[in-house]
Amino acid sequence: MLLLYACFVSLIIFDDVVAYNFPYEGIQLSDSDVANNPDIAFGKLPGGVNAHCKTFPGDSNWPSVDRWNVLNASLEGALLRVVPPAAACYSGIYEDATKCALVRQGSRSTNFVKGVFHPVYALINSFRNTGHDYLGRNTRGGALKVYVHRLKAFEYLPSTKIGNYQGKAARVGAALEQYELFPHMEENNITMLAPGSSTVGAYGGYMQGGGFSYITSKFGLMADQVLALEVVTADGRFVHADPENNKDLFWTVRGGGPSE
Ligand SMILES: Cc1cc2nc3c(=O)[nH]c(=O)nc-3n(C[C@H](O)[C@H](O)[C@H](O)COP(=O)(O)OP(=O)(O)OC[C@H]3O[C@@H](n4cnc5c(N)ncnc54)[C@H](O)[C@@H]3O)c2cc1C
Ligand SMILES: *[C@@H]1O[C@H](CO)[C@@H](O)[C@H](O)[C@H]1NC(C)=O
Ligand SMILES: *[C@@H]1O[C@H](CO)[C@@H](O)[C@H](O)[C@H]1NC(C)=O
């Protein structure tokens, strides 16, 4: 059975609104936001940036509080300042014995460890869904984190036609974990190429890495099940990719590997 994959991130798209699957994808960065903040111009590095030399917190050209506030406004207040949970165990403004005890207890649980942030890179992740990538490809020094973990929408499509495929399909939010997607698929009699762990994102890094399921020997890779993708490209554009539109992107995302 085939799936319609939907929505990498829904924050950033441009004024010529392309079709999207879920209401949250309609919250879009517009050309007017960009006009007020050249830092986020589509497809451009901010002026004065030396692409060979990455800016880190503490550097003189690290964005000022005002610039962060402008970015936050363009995101309708969605910008979060992350405090590493283990900060509770260090002297300083976040020190807290009760929270520290919880962190120490939680550090023995895989769900806690992947649920919080890599202890070193807590403030500087890049793209994060469930945190299952223990190799750390969801972290990057001096980067903003795009947190897609809450994009969990699902919609069953009894009949759809894309490329050579005609039949039932589903729109799946990028963050649905295996255990969350399974009941939806079961209800609609769709075979799902599930990953081994119940909390791996069904269409995050798993699909981008190909996706090896228990039933891959019979049905192929998870990436083979995808009919279409809504993708935010590195230049900030929201695009649709399927066997006929943006074919190269459609091909690449399905197995090119996670991380940017
Ligand atoms: C316990 C366990 C069991 C596993 N079992 C299997 C298995 O059976 N078969 C298999 O093939 N793999 C398996 N994996 C590997 C798993 O598929 C990869 O770690 C995968 O990258 C996890 O993706 P995620 O989205 O859940 O996690 P994350 O760590 O959040 O993301 C992984 C990577 O994908 C990127 N990414 C995630 N979501 C998006 C998005 N929406 N847009 C753009 N980039 C994104 C991240 O930047 C990161 O580089 C397993 C891993 C673990 C820890
Ligand atoms: C972004 O704005 C929201 C709403 O005003 C605020 O709650 C949040 O703390 C701001 N984020 C940062 C990092 O300042
Ligand atoms: C799912 O398949 C079973 C067995 O073929 C069938 O009885 C059931 O009606 C199907 N349900 C749906 C929602 O298609």
Side-chain angles (χ1 to χ4, degrees):
M1 288 298 157
L2 297 171
L3 302 176
L4 181 63
Y5 172 72
C7 65
F8 265 77
V9 194
S10 53
L11 287 177
I12 304 174
I13 79 169
F14 58 114
D15 277 347
D16 299 330
V17 175
V18 293
Y20 54 84
N21 290 317
F22 301 121
Y24 58 69
E25 290 171 294
I27 305 168
Q28 298 159 10
L29 189 70
S30 66
D31 282 327
S32 55
D33 293 319
V34 170
N36 295 333
N37 185 359
D39 285 354
I40 51 174
F42 292 111
K44 287 187 194 144
L45 286 171
V49 169
N50 177 350
H52 301 292
C53 218
K54 199 162 191 169
T55 303
F56 273 81
D59 288 350
S60 60
N61 56 345
W62 183 254
S64 63
V65 171
D66 282 352
R67 280 168 76 197
W68 284 119
N69 287 341
V70 173
L71 175 64
N72 196 11
S74 73
L75 297 173
E76 297 180 2
L79 191 66
L80 300 174
R81 186 177 288 107
V82 180
V83 178
C89 303
Y90 291 83
S91 59
I93 53 169
Y94 299 113
E95 190 173 8
D96 182 321
T98 313
K99 284 187 187 162
C100 176
L102 289 173
V103 170
R104 285 183 189 284
Q105 198 184 351
S107 65
R108 288 192 288 270
S109 139
T110 47
N111 271 348
F112 180 83
V113 170
K114 67 180 178 46
V116 296
F117 311 111
H118 187 286
V120 179
Y121 295 120
L123 293 166
I124 44 185
N125 279 5
S126 58
F127 214 117
R128 189 190 155 88
N129 181 18
T130 70
H132 270 83
D133 188 345
Y134 295 167
L135 294 174
R137 282 171 299 191
N138 51 11
T139 67
R140 191 73 72 246
L144 276 172
K145 175 166 63 182
V146 181
Y147 191 54
V148 297
H149 194 62
R150 293 177 186 152
L151 308 182
K152 291 187 184 284
F154 177 91
E155 187 187 350
Y156 175 61
L157 305 174
S159 168
T160 195
K161 185 173 179 337
I162 293 182
N164 294 326
Y165 179 79
Q166 190 156 15
K168 59 184 168 185
R171 295 188 163 122
V172 180
L176 282 172
E177 294 164 58
Q178 191 250 65
Y179 81 95
E180 294 167 316
L181 189 53
F182 222 99
H184 287 303
M185 294 308 200
E186 189 173 26
E187 190 186 338
N188 297 301
N189 277 350
I190 298 182
T191 301
M192 176 181 162
L193 273 75
S197 164
S198 62
T199 49
V200 165
Y203 284 90
Y206 170 68
M207 182 276 290
Q208 291 167 64
F212 293 84
S213 171
Y214 291 122
I215 50 175
T216 279
S217 56
K218 187 166 167 65
F219 294 104
L221 297 173
M222 171 57 115
D224 297 328
Q225 308 299 310
V226 179
L227 286 173
L229 293 157
E230 308 308 324
V231 179
V232 178
T233 53
D235 62 357
R237 302 287 182 185
F238 185 99
V239 301
H240 175 86
D242 67 24
E244 278 145 26
N245 305 286
N246 293 310
K247 290 181 197 174
D248 51 350
L249 189 59
F250 187 61
W251 187 86
T252 304
V253 173
R254 294 173 308 135
S259 197
E260 64 284 7

